[in-house]
Amino acid sequence: MTDDFEKIISLAKRRGFIYQTAEIYGGLAASYDYGPLGVELKNNLKKAWWKAMVAKRNDVVGLDSAILTPRIVWEASGHLQSFHDPLVECKSCHHRFRADHLLEAKQAEPGYIKEKPIEMKDLKCPDCGGELTEPKNFNLLMKTELGSVEGQKEEAYMRGETCQGIYLDYLSVKESMRKKLPFGIAQIGKAFRNEITTKNFTFRMREFEQMEQQYFVNPKDAEKHFNYWKEQRWNWYKNLGMKEENMRWRQHADNERAHYAKDAWDIEYNTPWGGWKEMAGVHNRGDWDLSRHGQYSKVDMTYRDEETGEKFIPWIVETSDGADRAVLMFLVDAFDEIDARSGEEDAKHEKEIVLRLHKDLAPIKIAVFPLSKKEPLQKLALEIQAELWKKRMTQYDESGSIGKRYRRQDEIGTPYCVTVDFDTLEDKKVTVRDRDTMEQERVEIGNLKNYFDEKFDD
Ligand code: ATP
């Protein structure tokens, strides 16, 4: 793990973004909680996704389907048969690993020769050097039981991907919303996978949140829609400030595509812990999902085009993003460590952290500081905060020097700080400081609302 990534993980905990689940009991592997600032950041991210994918579109509608699903759904979807990862176990220390991840790591080592492929038998346990078992398929779905009578309980599954709920409701949505093709259904929600390897913080969790959209199309137009959605998803990350040099497209090879996919492209992020890793995907799922659910439920999924008379099972272009992975990548991307600049008088720091989050994502939009804790500045600062709070998330801070307070806000990515000083009492103006340019402007209190309305795009 690199230094920067360790610093990001420690910042996330120290400043209330992300904590390990059940930490007081030693923690639950691959499970994390979002603290007060983390939940703001994640909600802002989900809001930005919903706005771009649902709220501002005529052709996409939203959904919130159940997490618990009957077994037959996962039989029909093919996940019970094919949603596997190759598991190997160390014969000495009994640690478990994903065979494909071990191969990947070996290939990334210096001295790897592409022409001499590494085989499973060449691999040893990365923890103790012990011998590994042969890979065996390990199903990732999480099973549970419903009902109260022992012996008569019904088997159910926690959904392994949110999109299945969309396919189950496709006909109800189409009919109740009078939708014609092409149209999309989107939802944000939890998904569960019994992941084998659980390293790298929130990158790979067993309970995580997905933001998925399924676009139902005439098969002959699938490629056109596929290219359109690829562009949309790339631009979403870019417009929220992600640096394009840290992003790339990668097409899945024939042997790695999921059982349902005709074509699959990932947006990968250049992570500090392991290079390029999947952040999001765009998939052409063909007619797999609706055909299979049609077969298993015996409900006809055929679409009849009223204008052309064509009949077909719609194809699906899926956009699939992970809310947790996106939060992590935005944190990584925004993390900046610079020479001390805040002007803290008793500065003990040579370096300071600035989280350069996009304004739409920042958990706190504006911080308000009185220069002194005493009246009348305190009262005035609280009044200004109350006004600004009507529209945006604010934070009030009166403790420590102004430099220290700037530094606290820089660390959590607050774009603007407003200082109320003694001159304010005379000229009715406050100092607004910009996180990125460090410029300070005197702004009239009566004009603050308009000033920030122009600064924020909300
Ligand atoms: P990986 O190859 O990393 O296991 P995947 O190909 O299984 O990912 P998909 O099934 O395409 O992932 O899921 C869509 C998105 O959901 C991913 O791009 C990612 O953002 C998110 N996601 C998938 N698995 C996890 C996980 N275990 N923890 C956090 N996010 C995840």
Side-chain angles (χ1 to χ4, degrees):
M1 202 182 290
T2 63
D3 279 1
D4 267 3
F5 193 43
E6 272 177 25
K7 284 180 196 159
I8 292 164
I9 295 173
S10 127
L11 177 82
K13 181 172 178 202
R14 185 165 54 78
R15 297 307 314 272
F17 283 91
I18 301 172
Y19 317 121
Q20 171 105 58
T21 300
E23 197 169 8
I24 59 167
Y25 290 105
L28 178 68
S31 191
Y32 291 89
D33 300 343
Y34 286 83
L37 295 186
V39 69
E40 293 296 332
L41 168 58
K42 195 173 175 193
N43 282 344
N44 289 342
L45 178 115
K46 290 190 282 184
K47 229 187 310 168
W49 187 87
W50 197 261
K51 193 167 154 188
M53 300 296 284
V54 185
K56 300 267 176 205
R57 299 191 64 105
N58 283 323
D59 58 344
V60 182
V61 290
L63 184 75
D64 183 8
S65 71
I67 287 171
L68 291 173
T69 20
R71 179 188 166 91
I72 191 163
V73 170
W74 303 100
E75 268 172 39
S77 72
H79 283 74
L80 278 172
Q81 296 82 0
S82 322
F83 197 40
H84 293 127
D85 276 341
L87 168 80
V88 288
E89 187 171 322
C90 172
K91 291 180 182 170
S92 308
C93 68
H94 299 290
H95 289 174
R96 295 172 148 206
F97 306 94
R98 251 175 79 169
D100 54 332
H101 287 174
L102 293 185
L103 279 173
E104 244 175 56
K106 201 84 190 150
Q107 284 163 0
E109 281 178 9
Y112 166 67
I113 304 164
K114 211 171 166 196
E115 290 67 37
K116 260 178 73 186
I118 297 162
E119 293 179 31
M120 274 315 297
K121 64 176 172 42
D122 303 328
L123 296 176
K124 292 275 177 274
C125 170
D127 289 347
C128 75
E131 202 182 320
L132 297 170
T133 58
E134 283 292 310
K136 64 173 184 238
N137 277 337
F138 177 81
N139 195 283
L140 299 181
L141 287 177
M142 279 196 206
K143 208 189 318 190
T144 186
E145 287 178 318
L146 307 180
S148 54
V149 182
E150 241 0 281
Q152 294 178 21
K153 289 191 179 170
E154 191 191 333
E155 192 179 274
Y157 286 82
M158 320 272 274
R159 63 185 176 201
E161 52 182 22
T162 53
C163 55
Q164 291 302 323
I166 293 178
Y167 311 139
L168 304 182
D169 287 339
Y170 158 74
L171 286 176
S172 302
V173 171
K174 181 170 81 65
E175 278 152 33
S176 58
M177 303 307 288
R178 296 181 296 111
K179 283 288 175 201
K180 293 200 171 77
L181 259 51
F183 77 96
I185 306 177
Q187 80 166 322
I188 300 179
K190 290 253 168 143
F192 300 81
R193 296 182 188 177
N194 212 352
E195 298 279 1
I196 300 167
T197 32
T198 56
K199 287 187 298 192
N200 301 325
F201 202 34
T202 52
F203 179 77
R204 189 173 299 286
M205 306 205 281
R206 293 202 171 111
E207 172 184 343
F208 58 96
E209 226 169 340
Q210 289 188 313
M211 309 185 290
E212 295 197 305
Q213 188 259 157
Q214 313 296 309
Y215 206 67
F216 299 89
V217 304
N218 186 322
K220 64 178 195 287
D221 300 328
E223 198 179 326
K224 177 182 83 184
H225 293 296
F226 188 74
N227 290 332
Y228 168 81
W229 282 110
K230 266 182 73 189
E231 198 182 324
Q232 294 297 305
R233 294 314 306 142
W234 179 274
N235 288 342
W236 186 78
Y237 287 97
K238 185 179 102 177
N239 294 339
L240 281 174
M242 194 167 274
K243 298 179 198 89
E244 281 190 285
E245 68 260 30
N246 291 333
M247 294 159 58
R248 74 171 188 195
W249 279 112
R250 190 178 71 84
Q251 186 176 24
H252 284 203
D254 288 346
N255 60 358
E256 72 176 308
R257 266 201 310 271
H259 57 274
Y260 50 75
K262 286 199 174 315
D263 193 7
W265 289 71
D266 289 341
I267 301 181
E268 293 189 329
Y269 187 87
N270 196 4
T271 67
W273 68 86
W276 295 99
K277 298 280 177 214
E278 171 177 345
M279 174 166 69
V282 180
H283 312 128
N284 177 349
R285 297 179 73 122
D287 68 357
W288 167 267
D289 302 282
L290 290 186
S291 296
R292 292 279 290 197
H293 285 303
Q295 272 166 31
Y296 278 70
S297 65
K298 314 242 177 335
V299 172
D300 187 7
M301 297 282 178
T302 309
Y303 181 83
R304 290 165 193 81
D305 189 311
E306 283 163 21
E307 276 165 34
T308 63
E310 280 173 285
K311 285 185 189 172
F312 54 84
I313 302 285
W315 279 29
I316 291 167
V317 175
E318 168 184 66
T319 67
S320 182
D321 296 78
D324 308 276
R325 262 189 210 179
V327 163
L328 180 62
M329 303 314 191
F330 276 114
L331 278 176
V332 166
D333 208 70
F335 182 86
D336 194 8
E337 202 176 28
I338 55 169
D339 289 339
R341 67 172 201 185
S342 61
E344 212 179 322
E345 298 86 47
D346 52 347
K348 297 173 206 86
H349 314 268
E350 277 175 30
K351 295 275 178 193
E352 291 177 358
I353 293 169
V354 183
L355 214 49
R356 299 192 188 277
L357 288 169
H358 189 280
K359 289 174 201 170
D360 288 357
L361 296 180
I364 307 292
K365 310 295 181 193
I366 307 161
V368 182
F369 314 145
L371 191 63
S372 132
K373 276 188 210 182
K374 297 196 188 109
E375 296 305 352
L377 293 194
Q378 188 191 53
K379 182 163 173 280
L380 186 55
L382 282 167
E383 279 169 11
I384 290 171
Q385 186 206 12
E387 261 317 292
L388 295 174
W389 218 333
K390 287 184 183 158
K391 194 133 185 216
R392 298 181 180 91
M393 193 68 182
T394 63
Q395 200 171 67
Y396 174 81
D397 187 1
E398 59 175 27
S399 79
S401 67
I402 291 291
K404 192 171 263 163
R405 290 183 246 172
Y406 279 151
R407 188 169 57 75
R408 281 191 202 121
Q409 296 300 327
D410 282 349
E411 275 194 348
I412 61 171
T414 306
Y416 298 101
C417 295
V418 169
T419 303
V420 179
D421 57 27
F422 291 103
D423 290 342
T424 310
L425 300 172
E426 304 299 319
D427 66 3
K428 305 281 177 270
K429 287 181 180 169
V430 289
T431 304
V432 180
R433 179 247 204 195
D434 181 304
R435 176 195 72 199
D436 295 327
T437 63
M438 291 276 286
E439 269 171 26
Q440 305 202 357
E441 255 185 278
R442 292 291 284 176
V443 180
E444 276 182 36
I445 298 175
N447 197 29
L448 270 181
K449 185 182 168 297
N450 289 346
Y451 177 86
F452 284 121
D453 281 349
E454 273 172 30
K455 295 281 181 192
F456 286 94
D457 185 26
D458 48 13

